Amino acid sequence: MQKPIVTVLLAYGMSGKLFHGPFVHAHTGFDFKGVLEHNTKKVKADYPDVKSYDTLQEILDDPEIELVIVNTPSNTHVDYSRKALLAGKDILVEKPFAPTVKEAQEIFDLGRKLGRKVMVYQNRRFSSDYAVTKDTITSGKLGDIIEIHLRYDRYRSEIGPKVFKETPLPAAGIVYDLAAHLLDQTICLLGRPSGFRKITGVYRNNSQVEDYGHIHLKYPNQVNVFITTSLLVADPLPGIIINGTKGSFVKAFCDNQEDQLIAGMKPGDADFGVEEAGKEGRLTLMSDQGVKTVELVPSIKGKYMDLFEAVVQTIRNGKEFPVKEFEILAQIEILESKSAF
């Protein structure tokens, strides 16, 4: 049996409490050793045996620690990643990985130079709605794909309490925060686009960062992908719409793993990641004779845990991490590009 990977988180806010802690704790491939908590100490209420570190330097100086999960505010990712690598640690870094392609490339290059693993946390690749969308496209049922519309919307007109998200710091704004998920899914499925155009806007009162973004990605064979995200959508549209030469697929934005974690469900529970009834996708197909058929398509079980299994396989068995360097660089190139007109 392989030795568990001694792991620490660099924060224990929502990200640490929901998206990392439960999985690192549940997966036998990890030894959840500690969390960096500068001020308020919360982790021991959930995990009494997990150590609370006061400073980053304590973590960097601890020779037992193998993996540092960089789940801090976006503008700190590059600095903390660099320090962890130089201290001899492997890293798993929250999206957005870096504000610029230049900084991202520097971290990847540094990891190679030092012989350390640089992995990027893109959990939405392991969501239920993405899994069924991928299967629907690759099944060929829709024929040649013409267009894909992906949306990630919320209604939050007030300025949020997280200063790093509402201050014009590197990697701030909704495009880096939410559109990054949809860009990653698209690039994972279709590869690097042949061209793109990005439009952003600021619409909330007193907002200092972008709260609207629309990205048009152009692919060979005339495939168009439209990604939209906004903080001012009171009645959200379907999160996934795909139109092809033989039919259409429509799906509400849905992955319930986050809601289940908030409700206290654990990754190992039988129903974790299972979509609730009434959230099925709608597949509408046209026959060569012009006959329309409609069927409901339930989502595939969401499995955020698969990302953590990939981390274990990458560190312990030398397998390639599924979120590849070229995909992240292509994503960040679009994120950091200037808005068109």
Side-chain angles (χ1 to χ4, degrees):
M1 185 174 180
Q2 292 178 322
K3 177 179 176 290
I5 301 164
V6 181
T7 303
V8 297
L9 313 182
L10 292 191
Y12 199 67
M14 178 180 178
S15 169
K17 188 176 180 67
L18 296 184
F19 297 124
H20 296 287
F23 298 91
V24 173
H25 181 259
H27 196 300
T28 57
F30 296 95
D31 175 359
F32 187 9
K33 181 171 184 179
V35 173
L36 176 60
E37 296 182 290
H38 293 292
N39 301 308
T40 307
K41 304 291 186 176
K42 298 179 180 179
V43 70
K44 284 188 175 295
D46 296 328
Y47 307 104
D49 296 332
V50 170
K51 181 177 180 179
S52 179
Y53 290 87
D54 295 318
T55 68
L56 175 62
Q57 196 60 48
E58 288 180 77
I59 292 171
L60 300 179
D61 291 341
D62 188 334
E64 278 194 345
I65 295 169
E66 301 173 78
L67 174 65
V68 172
I69 297 180
V70 183
N71 61 321
T72 50
S74 303
N75 61 299
T76 67
H77 288 180
V78 172
D79 181 43
Y80 289 174
S81 294
R82 183 184 295 111
K83 289 177 177 176
L85 290 172
L86 291 171
K89 319 298 186 187
D90 296 321
I91 57 173
L92 175 65
V93 187
E94 272 274 11
K95 63 84 202 162
F97 178 58
T100 67
V101 171
K102 180 176 182 294
E103 291 168 300
Q105 189 67 72
E106 288 174 353
I107 295 301
F108 281 120
D109 290 345
L110 181 61
R112 266 189 296 273
K113 178 182 177 181
L114 298 173
R116 306 314 319 173
K117 304 297 185 184
V118 176
M119 298 163 286
V120 183
Y121 177 83
Q122 291 282 358
N123 64 323
R124 291 287 304 169
R125 288 195 185 192
F126 303 89
S127 63
S128 57
D129 50 357
Y130 176 67
V132 73
T133 298
K134 181 178 179 180
D135 275 11
T136 300
I137 291 174
T138 57
S139 72
K141 291 180 180 179
L142 296 174
D144 295 329
I145 303 301
I146 299 169
E147 60 177 359
I148 300 173
H149 294 262
L150 303 174
R151 297 193 66 102
Y152 196 155
D153 294 321
R154 295 171 173 168
Y155 188 84
R156 295 182 180 174
S157 59
E158 72 284 354
I159 304 303
K162 294 183 179 180
V163 175
F164 75 93
K165 287 192 174 186
E166 297 287 7
T167 304
L169 297 167
I174 195 173
V175 176
Y176 274 96
D177 188 25
L178 299 185
H181 287 298
L182 306 181
L183 272 173
D184 182 72
Q185 291 176 335
T186 303
I187 292 169
C188 176
L189 185 61
L190 300 178
R192 185 188 185 94
S194 56
F196 64 88
R197 183 178 67 172
K198 183 176 78 172
I199 301 167
T200 61
V202 180
Y203 294 96
R204 295 171 303 158
N205 291 332
N206 302 314
S207 179
Q208 300 181 63
V209 299
E210 297 165 352
D211 47 34
Y212 171 85
H214 177 79
I215 302 169
H216 175 194
L217 306 175
K218 185 70 176 177
Y219 282 90
N221 302 321
Q222 302 187 73
V223 178
N224 293 280
V225 180
F226 303 95
I227 291 172
T228 307
T229 184
S230 173
L231 288 178
L232 290 174
V233 177
D235 186 12
L237 295 167
I240 301 164
I241 300 175
I242 308 170
N243 294 313
T245 54
K246 294 183 178 180
S248 299
F249 178 72
V250 178
K251 179 82 174 69
F253 178 85
C254 175
D255 182 83
N256 59 358
Q257 292 177 87
E258 179 177 340
D259 290 339
Q260 289 176 332
L261 290 164
I262 291 172
M265 192 176 286
K266 305 299 182 184
D269 292 347
D271 290 336
F272 185 77
V274 176
E275 182 182 70
E276 61 190 80
K279 297 288 188 178
E280 297 86 355
R282 188 173 74 252
L283 180 64
T284 303
L285 300 177
M286 299 295 295
S287 71
D288 293 338
Q289 293 74 37
V291 178
K292 179 189 290 187
T293 60
V294 179
E295 63 178 278
L296 297 180
V297 183
S299 284
I300 299 167
K301 187 175 183 178
K303 297 180 179 179
Y304 287 170
M305 186 62 89
D306 283 358
L307 186 152
F308 292 90
E309 172 63 19
V311 171
V312 173
Q313 292 300 323
T314 298
I315 293 177
R316 287 290 182 253
N317 298 323
K319 294 189 177 181
E320 184 178 21
F321 194 64
V323 183
K324 299 176 177 60
E325 178 178 334
F326 82 88
E327 295 171 331
I328 295 299
L329 296 177
Q331 176 192 133
I332 296 175
E333 178 185 355
I334 297 167
L335 291 175
E336 73 165 312
S337 66
K338 300 297 182 184
S339 182
F341 80 85

